[in-house]
Amino acid sequence: MSQQTARRGGAAWALVITSVAGFMAALDNLVVTTALPSIREDLGGGLHDLEWTVSAYTLTFAVLLMFGAALGDRFGRRRLFIAGLTVFTGASAAAAMAPGIDSLIAARAVQGVGAAVMMPLTLTLLTAAVPVAKRGMAYGIWGAVNGLAVASGPLVGGTLTEHISWQWIFWLNVPLGLALLPLARLRLAESRGTGAPLDIPGTLLASGGLFGIVYGLVRGPADGWTGSLVLTGLFPGSALLAGFILYSTRAKNPMLPMRLFRSRAFAGINAASLLMFLGMFGSIFLLSQYMQGVLGYSPTEAGLRMLPWTGMPMLVAPIAGILADRIGGRPVVATGLFLQALGLGYMAVVATADASYGSQLPALIVSGIGMALYFAPASHLVMSSVRPSEQGIASGANNALREVGGALGIAVMASIFAAQGGYETGQTFVDGMRPALVTGSAVVALAGIAALLIPTRRRTERQTRPAEPAPVLETSAH
């Protein structure tokens, strides 16, 4: 077998392994939402407990993403990817077998720890395996699978709960994880970052700051934004993050070098990612409830009707990746974000308590195309904006900002919804959802403007492109 053939085989395996692992981690963000009534019926618990079955995962996932990426850079990306996948798979089984609500919350928190180690390393492992000329298409497929997971979480959770049981939203991860573990060991090459020692002060500052902020955002809609615990999370969390930024500008080997943000490409795509997830997460959170609670669809029926939105990335994202290879990622990402904003705005206009599916279909299609155009090249832009040795932490930082954006989106949308409407009738739900969707549309449009800050030329990518392949310390085991 020639070296080129072996490399193509390695790239194909890396794409499959990292895409499936990314799907598992992204799916569990929202997969629990439509199963909450069944979980409460089986395990008991109040509203506060049910909210934590969602929030415990989001919290540990967002807080530890950068630390997980740093561990991979220091001790081996494949090694830590396998460790994270093992933890995630085991915690999924523990969640499925949870005898009570407290043990379920604890298992969800451990799931988040595993996902935080596993998720940022999927991109660095994929980058090391795929030749530069093919990365746009590879990132497009990876982005399509991850985008589908985020958008279809409520559908998958609702379908499994409706037709089997809520435990299967967690059992689903177990066979996938068990299948990926030997494949990762045999088919992925080991690689590392700079080998610099772990940045313990930076890790503590960043993790503490993210914990406080995400905790405050998650609890804000339920406890009130002036609640003592919410304020205790938001203000000290913000202070710790400010301390992290100041520390990172002076530290010798910081976990996240602040100089990366001097790059218009890195700063622009990260700002766009945070705003995109803010608008999209909050919109999906409300629209899935709208289709079920107001229009009367079952979870499965609602999910099928959202397929023009949620399924579109599987069709469009690989094409968008090829376009990004040819014309650059900036115009593709910006176009996608503006289309997503247009789709959300259109949905806000046509949403009524008895809206027909035909009136919603154009908005779903436009939103789906927009989401696909964003997901495909966004990862490429992140990874090409830094040096190969910094790709791990760049991936971790981008994923952390996405998670914070998602938590902020749900918090903001829920607050707007509660202030303008409620669950009393279909009309009061629509009254609250419309201004929330308009806000989501405006935020995603801001993300499109942020994407326009990315340089039009591909100079940054050429400067950061390594001699192929990226640094590899061991060969794949076959």
Side-chain angles (χ1 to χ4, degrees):
M1 183 183 292
S2 68
Q3 183 176 359
Q4 185 176 7
T5 303
R7 182 175 180 79
R8 283 200 297 267
W13 277 112
L15 179 58
V16 171
I17 294 166
T18 58
S19 294
V20 174
F23 179 90
M24 293 164 62
L27 181 70
D28 273 52
N29 269 305
L30 294 174
V31 73
V32 179
T33 54
T34 46
L36 291 179
S38 296
I39 292 174
R40 183 177 185 181
E41 183 178 344
D42 281 359
L43 302 183
L47 180 61
H48 177 82
D49 297 314
L50 293 177
E51 289 170 346
W52 271 109
T53 62
V54 180
S55 304
Y57 181 83
T58 303
L59 196 59
T60 53
F61 191 12
V63 165
L64 296 175
L65 271 165
M66 284 195 290
F67 184 54
L71 286 175
D73 285 350
R74 179 68 177 86
F75 298 109
R77 291 161 179 164
R78 182 182 66 180
R79 178 183 300 171
L80 266 293
F81 173 80
I82 291 173
L85 179 59
T86 301
V87 171
F88 181 85
T89 303
S92 296
M97 296 185 292
I101 194 70
D102 291 337
S103 56
L104 176 59
I105 292 170
R108 288 283 289 165
V110 177
Q111 264 193 313
V113 173
V117 175
M118 175 179 69
M119 186 65 173
L121 299 178
T122 59
L123 269 180
T124 50
L125 289 166
L126 183 61
T127 300
V130 179
V132 172
K134 301 293 184 182
R135 284 179 188 167
M137 184 171 62
Y139 290 144
I141 297 171
W142 183 92
V145 174
N146 279 268
L148 178 65
V150 171
S152 64
L155 164 63
V156 173
T159 301
L160 290 174
T161 301
E162 181 181 348
H163 296 291
I164 309 178
S165 72
W166 65 263
Q167 285 89 348
W168 275 93
I169 65 180
F170 302 116
W171 282 126
L172 177 66
N173 293 323
V174 176
L176 291 175
L178 292 176
L180 288 183
L181 283 169
L183 289 176
R185 178 66 184 87
L186 295 172
R187 297 295 182 177
L188 294 178
E190 184 62 283
S191 64
R192 290 177 172 83
T194 60
L198 287 176
D199 177 15
I200 300 301
T203 297
L204 293 175
L205 287 169
S207 299
L210 285 173
F211 179 87
I213 289 176
V214 176
Y215 178 87
L217 294 176
V218 166
R219 299 307 311 160
D223 296 348
W225 292 105
T226 58
S228 58
L229 288 177
V230 173
L231 295 178
T232 301
L234 291 176
F235 285 107
S238 300
L240 286 173
L241 273 189
F244 170 71
I245 293 171
L246 290 175
Y247 165 82
S248 298
T249 59
R250 302 171 183 175
K252 183 178 180 181
N253 294 301
M255 182 173 67
L256 178 60
M258 288 297 111
R259 59 177 172 74
L260 295 180
F261 290 95
R262 298 183 196 139
S263 162
R264 284 172 53 199
F266 186 79
I269 190 57
N270 277 287
S273 295
L274 184 143
L275 293 170
M276 163 64 175
F277 270 65
L278 195 160
M280 185 185 69
F281 256 62
S283 299
I284 291 173
F285 180 73
L286 290 176
L287 285 171
S288 63
Q289 296 181 69
Y290 166 69
M291 286 198 166
Q292 294 176 60
V294 176
L295 300 184
Y297 300 127
S298 71
T300 304
E301 290 170 340
L304 290 173
R305 283 165 174 77
M306 290 182 73
L307 275 178
W309 183 10
T310 60
M312 194 63 70
M314 295 300 293
L315 300 176
V316 177
I319 300 172
I322 295 172
L323 283 175
D325 281 337
R326 295 183 177 179
I327 65 175
R330 173 184 179 268
V332 181
V333 166
T335 300
L337 290 169
F338 287 128
L339 285 176
Q340 178 77 88
L342 178 63
L344 292 176
Y346 189 102
M347 181 63 77
V349 171
V350 301
T352 63
D354 57 353
S356 68
Y357 181 63
S359 67
Q360 303 169 55
L361 188 58
L364 295 171
I365 293 174
V366 171
S367 294
I369 294 173
M371 183 167 66
L373 292 176
Y374 161 79
F375 272 115
S379 301
H380 198 175
L381 288 170
V382 171
M383 302 304 277
S384 64
S385 66
V386 299
R387 294 192 292 263
S389 62
E390 297 169 331
Q391 286 175 340
I393 195 56
S395 174
N398 184 256
N399 277 283
L401 287 171
R402 289 182 179 192
E403 288 301 310
V404 171
L408 180 60
I410 292 176
V412 169
M413 300 290 196
S415 296
I416 295 173
F417 170 81
Q420 301 294 324
Y423 290 94
E424 292 80 11
T425 66
Q427 187 58 50
T428 57
F429 190 97
V430 171
D431 291 342
M433 185 182 72
R434 276 180 165 172
L437 290 181
V438 170
T439 302
S441 174
V443 169
V444 177
L446 287 176
I449 295 172
L452 294 177
L453 298 175
I454 300 170
T456 54
R457 292 187 297 163
R458 301 172 74 182
R459 179 184 66 253
T460 304
E461 180 178 343
R462 290 196 299 268
Q463 290 175 346
T464 57
R465 184 178 296 169
E468 279 298 303
V472 174
L473 301 186
E474 300 174 18
T475 57
S476 297
H478 293 284

